[in-house]
PDB file of all heavy atoms in Angstrom:
ATOM      1  N   SER L  90      19.637   1.775  -1.265  1.00  0.00           N
ATOM      2  CA  SER L  90      19.815   2.210  -2.646  1.00  0.00           C
ATOM      3  C   SER L  90      19.282   1.152  -3.627  1.00  0.00           C
ATOM      4  O   SER L  90      18.710   1.478  -4.663  1.00  0.00           O
ATOM      5  CB  SER L  90      21.301   2.459  -2.893  1.00  0.00           C
ATOM      6  OG  SER L  90      21.536   2.813  -4.207  1.00  0.00           O
ATOM      7  N   PHE L  91      19.455  -0.117  -3.266  1.00  0.00           N
ATOM      8  CA  PHE L  91      18.940  -1.214  -4.106  1.00  0.00           C
ATOM      9  C   PHE L  91      17.480  -1.556  -3.748  1.00  0.00           C
ATOM     10  O   PHE L  91      16.911  -2.485  -4.295  1.00  0.00           O
ATOM     11  CB  PHE L  91      19.824  -2.464  -3.968  1.00  0.00           C
ATOM     12  CG  PHE L  91      21.091  -2.406  -4.789  1.00  0.00           C
ATOM     13  CD1 PHE L  91      22.205  -1.721  -4.308  1.00  0.00           C
ATOM     14  CD2 PHE L  91      21.169  -3.010  -6.029  1.00  0.00           C
ATOM     15  CE1 PHE L  91      23.382  -1.657  -5.044  1.00  0.00           C
ATOM     16  CE2 PHE L  91      22.342  -2.952  -6.779  1.00  0.00           C
ATOM     17  CZ  PHE L  91      23.449  -2.268  -6.284  1.00  0.00           C
ATOM     18  N   GLU L  92      16.920  -0.799  -2.778  1.00  0.00           N
ATOM     19  CA  GLU L  92      15.511  -0.954  -2.340  1.00  0.00           C
ATOM     20  C   GLU L  92      15.214  -2.372  -1.857  1.00  0.00           C
ATOM     21  O   GLU L  92      14.203  -2.976  -2.221  1.00  0.00           O
ATOM     22  CB  GLU L  92      14.547  -0.566  -3.472  1.00  0.00           C
ATOM     23  CG  GLU L  92      14.700   0.870  -3.921  1.00  0.00           C
ATOM     24  CD  GLU L  92      13.809   1.210  -5.105  1.00  0.00           C
ATOM     25  OE1 GLU L  92      13.398   0.287  -5.850  1.00  0.00           O
ATOM     26  OE2 GLU L  92      13.515   2.398  -5.279  1.00  0.00           O
ATOM     27  N   LEU L  93      16.112  -2.901  -1.018  1.00  0.00           N
ATOM     28  CA  LEU L  93      15.970  -4.279  -0.539  1.00  0.00           C
ATOM     29  C   LEU L  93      15.521  -4.310   0.910  1.00  0.00           C
ATOM     30  O   LEU L  93      15.738  -3.369   1.663  1.00  0.00           O
ATOM     31  CB  LEU L  93      17.313  -5.010  -0.650  1.00  0.00           C
ATOM     32  CG  LEU L  93      17.939  -5.076  -2.048  1.00  0.00           C
ATOM     33  CD1 LEU L  93      19.337  -5.657  -1.975  1.00  0.00           C
ATOM     34  CD2 LEU L  93      17.078  -5.899  -2.995  1.00  0.00           C
ATOM     35  N   THR L  94      14.910  -5.421   1.289  1.00  0.00           N
ATOM     36  CA  THR L  94      14.623  -5.686   2.698  1.00  0.00           C
ATOM     37  C   THR L  94      14.818  -7.180   2.942  1.00  0.00           C
ATOM     38  O   THR L  94      15.093  -7.938   2.004  1.00  0.00           O
ATOM     39  CB  THR L  94      13.218  -5.204   3.113  1.00  0.00           C
ATOM     40  OG1 THR L  94      13.126  -5.261   4.541  1.00  0.00           O
ATOM     41  CG2 THR L  94      12.104  -6.026   2.484  1.00  0.00           C
ATOM     42  N   ASP L  95      14.695  -7.614   4.217  1.00  0.00           N
ATOM     43  CA  ASP L  95      14.993  -9.001   4.591  1.00  0.00           C
ATOM     44  C   ASP L  95      16.404  -9.383   4.124  1.00  0.00           C
ATOM     45  O   ASP L  95      16.638 -10.465   3.570  1.00  0.00           O
ATOM     46  CB  ASP L  95      13.949  -9.980   4.021  1.00  0.00           C
ATOM     47  CG  ASP L  95      12.601  -9.833   4.731  1.00  0.00           C
ATOM     48  OD1 ASP L  95      12.527  -9.065   5.706  1.00  0.00           O
ATOM     49  OD2 ASP L  95      11.633 -10.491   4.316  1.00  0.00           O
ATOM     50  N   VAL L  96      17.336  -8.441   4.352  1.00  0.00           N
ATOM     51  CA  VAL L  96      18.717  -8.612   3.889  1.00  0.00           C
ATOM     52  C   VAL L  96      19.694  -8.211   4.993  1.00  0.00           C
ATOM     53  O   VAL L  96      19.477  -7.229   5.697  1.00  0.00           O
ATOM     54  CB  VAL L  96      18.978  -7.721   2.645  1.00  0.00           C
ATOM     55  CG1 VAL L  96      20.464  -7.585   2.358  1.00  0.00           C
ATOM     56  CG2 VAL L  96      18.288  -8.285   1.420  1.00  0.00           C
ATOM     57  N   LEU L  97      20.753  -8.998   5.108  1.00  0.00           N
ATOM     58  CA  LEU L  97      21.879  -8.691   6.004  1.00  0.00           C
ATOM     59  C   LEU L  97      23.145  -8.648   5.165  1.00  0.00           C
ATOM     60  O   LEU L  97      23.350  -9.516   4.315  1.00  0.00           O
ATOM     61  CB  LEU L  97      22.021  -9.787   7.068  1.00  0.00           C
ATOM     62  CG  LEU L  97      23.364  -9.856   7.815  1.00  0.00           C
ATOM     63  CD1 LEU L  97      23.550  -8.685   8.769  1.00  0.00           C
ATOM     64  CD2 LEU L  97      23.489 -11.175   8.576  1.00  0.00           C
ATOM     65  N   VAL L  98      23.982  -7.626   5.409  1.00  0.00           N
ATOM     66  CA  VAL L  98      25.311  -7.605   4.793  1.00  0.00           C
ATOM     67  C   VAL L  98      26.344  -7.462   5.909  1.00  0.00           C
ATOM     68  O   VAL L  98      26.254  -6.549   6.731  1.00  0.00           O
ATOM     69  CB  VAL L  98      25.481  -6.448   3.787  1.00  0.00           C
ATOM     70  CG1 VAL L  98      26.898  -6.463   3.202  1.00  0.00           C
ATOM     71  CG2 VAL L  98      24.457  -6.543   2.667  1.00  0.00           C
ATOM     72  N   VAL L  99      27.287  -8.398   5.946  1.00  0.00           N
ATOM     73  CA  VAL L  99      28.415  -8.329   6.881  1.00  0.00           C
ATOM     74  C   VAL L  99      29.665  -8.119   6.039  1.00  0.00           C
ATOM     75  O   VAL L  99      29.929  -8.895   5.113  1.00  0.00           O
ATOM     76  CB  VAL L  99      28.573  -9.634   7.695  1.00  0.00           C
ATOM     77  CG1 VAL L  99      29.666  -9.464   8.758  1.00  0.00           C
ATOM     78  CG2 VAL L  99      27.259 -10.050   8.338  1.00  0.00           C
ATOM     79  N   VAL L 100      30.418  -7.052   6.335  1.00  0.00           N
ATOM     80  CA  VAL L 100      31.684  -6.830   5.627  1.00  0.00           C
ATOM     81  C   VAL L 100      32.826  -7.135   6.590  1.00  0.00           C
ATOM     82  O   VAL L 100      32.973  -6.496   7.631  1.00  0.00           O
ATOM     83  CB  VAL L 100      31.799  -5.395   5.069  1.00  0.00           C
ATOM     84  CG1 VAL L 100      33.150  -5.214   4.360  1.00  0.00           C
ATOM     85  CG2 VAL L 100      30.653  -5.085   4.102  1.00  0.00           C
ATOM     86  N   VAL L 101      33.603  -8.152   6.226  1.00  0.00           N
ATOM     87  CA  VAL L 101      34.748  -8.579   7.040  1.00  0.00           C
ATOM     88  C   VAL L 101      35.978  -7.830   6.532  1.00  0.00           C
ATOM     89  O   VAL L 101      36.293  -7.877   5.342  1.00  0.00           O
ATOM     90  CB  VAL L 101      34.952 -10.109   6.906  1.00  0.00           C
ATOM     91  CG1 VAL L 101      36.203 -10.553   7.645  1.00  0.00           C
ATOM     92  CG2 VAL L 101      33.722 -10.855   7.427  1.00  0.00           C
ATOM     93  N   ARG L 102      36.672  -7.122   7.454  1.00  0.00           N
ATOM     94  CA  ARG L 102      37.844  -6.353   7.033  1.00  0.00           C
ATOM     95  C   ARG L 102      39.131  -6.946   7.596  1.00  0.00           C
ATOM     96  O   ARG L 102      39.275  -7.119   8.797  1.00  0.00           O
ATOM     97  CB  ARG L 102      37.737  -4.902   7.506  1.00  0.00           C
ATOM     98  CG  ARG L 102      38.953  -4.090   7.026  1.00  0.00           C
ATOM     99  CD  ARG L 102      39.066  -2.738   7.678  1.00  0.00           C
ATOM    100  NE  ARG L 102      40.231  -2.027   7.156  1.00  0.00           N
ATOM    101  CZ  ARG L 102      40.677  -0.889   7.633  1.00  0.00           C
ATOM    102  NH1 ARG L 102      40.069  -0.308   8.651  1.00  0.00           N
ATOM    103  NH2 ARG L 102      41.739  -0.306   7.112  1.00  0.00           N
ATOM    104  N   TYR L 103      40.040  -7.246   6.672  1.00  0.00           N
ATOM    105  CA  TYR L 103      41.406  -7.608   7.048  1.00  0.00           C
ATOM    106  C   TYR L 103      42.267  -6.365   6.852  1.00  0.00           C
ATOM    107  O   TYR L 103      42.350  -5.844   5.740  1.00  0.00           O
ATOM    108  CB  TYR L 103      41.926  -8.750   6.161  1.00  0.00           C
ATOM    109  CG  TYR L 103      41.348 -10.103   6.511  1.00  0.00           C
ATOM    110  CD1 TYR L 103      40.163 -10.553   5.920  1.00  0.00           C
ATOM    111  CD2 TYR L 103      41.984 -10.939   7.421  1.00  0.00           C
ATOM    112  CE1 TYR L 103      39.630 -11.796   6.234  1.00  0.00           C
ATOM    113  CE2 TYR L 103      41.462 -12.192   7.739  1.00  0.00           C
ATOM    114  CZ  TYR L 103      40.292 -12.608   7.150  1.00  0.00           C
ATOM    115  OH  TYR L 103      39.769 -13.839   7.464  1.00  0.00           O
ATOM    116  N   PHE L 104      42.888  -5.887   7.912  1.00  0.00           N
ATOM    117  CA  PHE L 104      43.646  -4.640   7.869  1.00  0.00           C
ATOM    118  C   PHE L 104      44.972  -4.846   7.130  1.00  0.00           C
ATOM    119  O   PHE L 104      45.691  -5.803   7.379  1.00  0.00           O
ATOM    120  CB  PHE L 104      43.906  -4.151   9.303  1.00  0.00           C
ATOM    121  CG  PHE L 104      44.593  -2.817   9.382  1.00  0.00           C
ATOM    122  CD1 PHE L 104      44.070  -1.700   8.732  1.00  0.00           C
ATOM    123  CD2 PHE L 104      45.763  -2.672  10.112  1.00  0.00           C
ATOM    124  CE1 PHE L 104      44.706  -0.466   8.811  1.00  0.00           C
ATOM    125  CE2 PHE L 104      46.413  -1.445  10.199  1.00  0.00           C
ATOM    126  CZ  PHE L 104      45.876  -0.336   9.541  1.00  0.00           C
ATOM    127  N   GLY L 105      45.264  -3.926   6.229  1.00  0.00           N
ATOM    128  CA  GLY L 105      46.471  -4.069   5.398  1.00  0.00           C
ATOM    129  C   GLY L 105      47.656  -3.253   5.868  1.00  0.00           C
ATOM    130  O   GLY L 105      48.684  -3.206   5.193  1.00  0.00           O
ATOM    131  N   GLY L 106      47.519  -2.566   7.014  1.00  0.00           N
ATOM    132  CA  GLY L 106      48.654  -1.822   7.552  1.00  0.00           C
ATOM    133  C   GLY L 106      48.628  -0.336   7.257  1.00  0.00           C
ATOM    134  O   GLY L 106      49.329   0.442   7.899  1.00  0.00           O
ATOM    135  N   THR L 107      47.822   0.083   6.291  1.00  0.00           N
ATOM    136  CA  THR L 107      47.728   1.515   5.959  1.00  0.00           C
ATOM    137  C   THR L 107      46.347   2.036   6.344  1.00  0.00           C
ATOM    138  O   THR L 107      45.334   1.461   5.948  1.00  0.00           O
ATOM    139  CB  THR L 107      47.949   1.735   4.438  1.00  0.00           C
ATOM    140  OG1 THR L 107      49.189   1.141   4.076  1.00  0.00           O
ATOM    141  CG2 THR L 107      47.991   3.217   4.097  1.00  0.00           C
ATOM    142  N   LEU L 108      46.315   3.126   7.107  1.00  0.00           N
ATOM    143  CA  LEU L 108      45.030   3.731   7.489  1.00  0.00           C
ATOM    144  C   LEU L 108      44.388   4.368   6.260  1.00  0.00           C
ATOM    145  O   LEU L 108      45.064   5.036   5.471  1.00  0.00           O
ATOM    146  CB  LEU L 108      45.236   4.780   8.581  1.00  0.00           C
ATOM    147  CG  LEU L 108      45.702   4.244   9.943  1.00  0.00           C
ATOM    148  CD1 LEU L 108      46.071   5.395  10.873  1.00  0.00           C
ATOM    149  CD2 LEU L 108      44.623   3.383  10.579  1.00  0.00           C
ATOM    150  N   LEU L 109      43.100   4.160   6.114  1.00  0.00           N
ATOM    151  CA  LEU L 109      42.390   4.679   4.938  1.00  0.00           C
ATOM    152  C   LEU L 109      41.698   6.011   5.222  1.00  0.00           C
ATOM    153  O   LEU L 109      41.282   6.697   4.299  1.00  0.00           O
ATOM    154  CB  LEU L 109      41.340   3.658   4.453  1.00  0.00           C
ATOM    155  CG  LEU L 109      41.874   2.277   4.066  1.00  0.00           C
ATOM    156  CD1 LEU L 109      40.731   1.379   3.634  1.00  0.00           C
ATOM    157  CD2 LEU L 109      42.896   2.382   2.945  1.00  0.00           C
ATOM    158  N   GLY L 110      41.536   6.353   6.512  1.00  0.00           N
ATOM    159  CA  GLY L 110      40.788   7.568   6.843  1.00  0.00           C
ATOM    160  C   GLY L 110      39.302   7.324   6.675  1.00  0.00           C
ATOM    161  O   GLY L 110      38.891   6.362   5.994  1.00  0.00           O
ATOM    162  N   VAL L 111      38.495   8.187   7.267  1.00  0.00           N
ATOM    163  CA  VAL L 111      37.036   7.973   7.227  1.00  0.00           C
ATOM    164  C   VAL L 111      36.494   7.965   5.791  1.00  0.00           C
ATOM    165  O   VAL L 111      35.738   7.056   5.421  1.00  0.00           O
ATOM    166  CB  VAL L 111      36.296   9.005   8.119  1.00  0.00           C
ATOM    167  CG1 VAL L 111      34.787   8.951   7.889  1.00  0.00           C
ATOM    168  CG2 VAL L 111      36.601   8.722   9.591  1.00  0.00           C
TER     169      VAL L 111
END
Side-chain angles (χ1 to χ4, degrees):
S90 177
F91 280 82
E92 299 176 337
L93 302 172
T94 191
D95 289 354
V96 165
L97 162 71
V98 179
V99 186
V100 179
V101 175
R102 182 192 181 188
Y103 285 89
F104 184 55
T107 305
L108 293 171
L109 301 179
V111 170

